Amino acid sequence: MRLVFADCSVDYMGRLSAHLPRATRLLVVKNDGSVLIHSDGGSYKPLNWMSPPARLHIADRVEIDSTSLADELDSDVCELWTVQAAKTDDRLVIRVFEKINEMSHDLGSDPGLIKDGVEADLQRLLSDQIELLGSGYRMVRREYPTAIGPVDILAKDASGVSVAVELKRVGDIDGVEQLTRYLELLNRDPLLAPVQGVFAAQRIKPQARTLAEDRGIRCVSLDYDAMRGVDDVESRLF
C-alpha cells in the first residue's frame, strides 16, 4: 500500500463527473489497483475513488513538458496521475502540486473480515429492539422452549397475536424449514395459537424468501451495524 500526502486537485470523468478543488489530501494506492482520495474530515469514506481493476499512470514534470499536456496544465503541477478503469471509459485525474509526505508498506495477505454478528448477538439485540419488527410489538421470551428445541424469540404483535421469530445471520431454506416446524408445534398449543412466523436475518437468500412467503412467514432483513449503533446514517450516499 502506498500513502501520499499531497496538495492536489481531483477530477472524475465518465458516466458521472466530479471535481475536488485544490487542497491537501491523502492519496491511497492499493495493490489491487484501487486509488482512493481522503480528507481529514467528513466520514470514513473517501471523497472520490477508482475501484479495481484499474491502471495508474504517473507523469512527472519532465514527461508532462515533453507532451502537449504542458499547455493544458499549470506550471506548478509536479505530477499528473491518471487512473483508467479497465472495463469502462471512466478516468480519475489527480493534479499533484506538492508532495508533502509519502510512504509505502507491503501489508501482505489478509485473512478477511471475521464478523461478530453471530445469531446470539442478533437475538440479544433484537430482543432489546423488538419494535424493529413493527410498532406495538413486545417481548415474551428469548429461547422459548419447545419439544424440538428453543424458538429464538417469542413476541406479541400490537393486536396480541403470538409471533415466533427465527434468527439467522444468513437466511437459507433450512432456516425456513426450522421455523415451519416450530410453528406447527406452537399452533397446537391453545394458549398460544394462532402463532405467526417471522424469519429475520442479515441477509435472506431469494429461495428462502420465496419459500417463507409461500408459507405465510414474514421476512425481515436486519441491519446489524445499525442495531449496534455504529452505522453512520449521515455519511450514506443513499
Side-chain angles (χ1 to χ4, degrees):
M1 181 180 291
R2 182 184 178 193
L3 305 177
V4 179
F5 297 89
D7 178 11
C8 64
S9 66
V10 182
D11 288 279
Y12 193 100
M13 293 165 283
R15 291 166 293 178
L16 297 173
S17 297
H19 174 69
L20 294 172
R22 183 174 176 176
T24 301
R25 299 185 178 93
L26 169 63
L27 310 178
V28 180
V29 183
K30 296 185 178 180
N31 285 336
D32 64 4
S34 57
V35 178
L36 305 93
I37 298 96
H38 284 273
S39 66
D40 199 16
S43 75
Y44 59 91
K45 293 183 179 180
L47 298 171
N48 214 325
W49 67 92
M50 180 67 77
S51 301
R55 181 174 56 86
L56 169 63
H57 176 74
I58 299 178
D60 58 19
R61 192 67 230 185
V62 174
E63 183 178 346
I64 292 171
D65 289 338
S66 65
T67 67
S68 60
L69 293 173
D71 298 329
E72 303 176 13
L73 299 175
D74 295 336
S75 58
D76 54 348
V77 173
C78 65
E79 285 186 354
L80 181 67
W81 294 25
T82 304
V83 189
Q84 179 66 55
K87 298 181 180 180
T88 67
D89 293 330
D90 290 17
R91 283 187 301 147
L92 189 66
V93 178
I94 305 170
R95 293 171 173 83
V96 177
F97 299 93
E98 179 188 2
K99 283 186 178 179
I100 300 169
N101 200 352
E102 181 176 358
M103 64 187 73
S104 297
H105 189 79
D106 185 2
L107 301 183
S109 60
D110 191 280
L113 178 66
I114 300 175
K115 295 186 177 181
D116 60 346
V118 296
E119 293 169 21
D121 287 331
L122 286 171
Q123 184 188 112
R124 174 180 54 80
L125 289 166
L126 185 58
S127 66
D128 292 336
Q129 303 171 52
I130 197 66
E131 69 279 357
L132 291 175
L133 298 181
S135 177
Y137 269 71
R138 58 184 176 86
M139 275 290 299
V140 175
R141 180 173 173 176
R142 291 170 54 186
E143 299 289 332
Y144 186 85
T146 76
I148 57 174
V151 177
D152 287 332
I153 288 177
L154 186 68
K156 295 275 189 179
D157 67 11
S159 59
V161 174
S162 298
V163 180
V165 183
E166 180 64 26
L167 285 160
K168 299 292 182 185
R169 192 164 63 83
V170 178
D172 57 16
I173 287 177
D174 288 344
V176 177
E177 295 286 3
Q178 183 180 1
L179 178 56
T180 300
R181 293 192 295 270
Y182 287 143
L183 289 172
E184 289 175 351
L185 189 61
L186 291 171
N187 273 302
R188 297 176 192 172
D189 186 341
L191 298 178
L192 292 176
V195 183
Q196 298 179 350
V198 171
F199 189 54
Q202 288 180 271
R203 181 172 65 87
I204 301 175
K205 294 183 178 180
Q207 300 92 333
R209 184 180 294 274
T210 299
L211 179 62
E213 292 174 350
D214 183 67
R215 294 180 176 179
I217 295 171
R218 183 161 67 97
C219 292
V220 175
S221 296
L222 300 175
D223 187 331
Y224 181 63
D225 286 340
M227 292 171 73
R228 291 190 300 160
V230 299
D231 186 27
D232 187 358
V233 176
E234 294 183 354
S235 298
R236 292 181 180 175
L237 292 177
F238 304 99

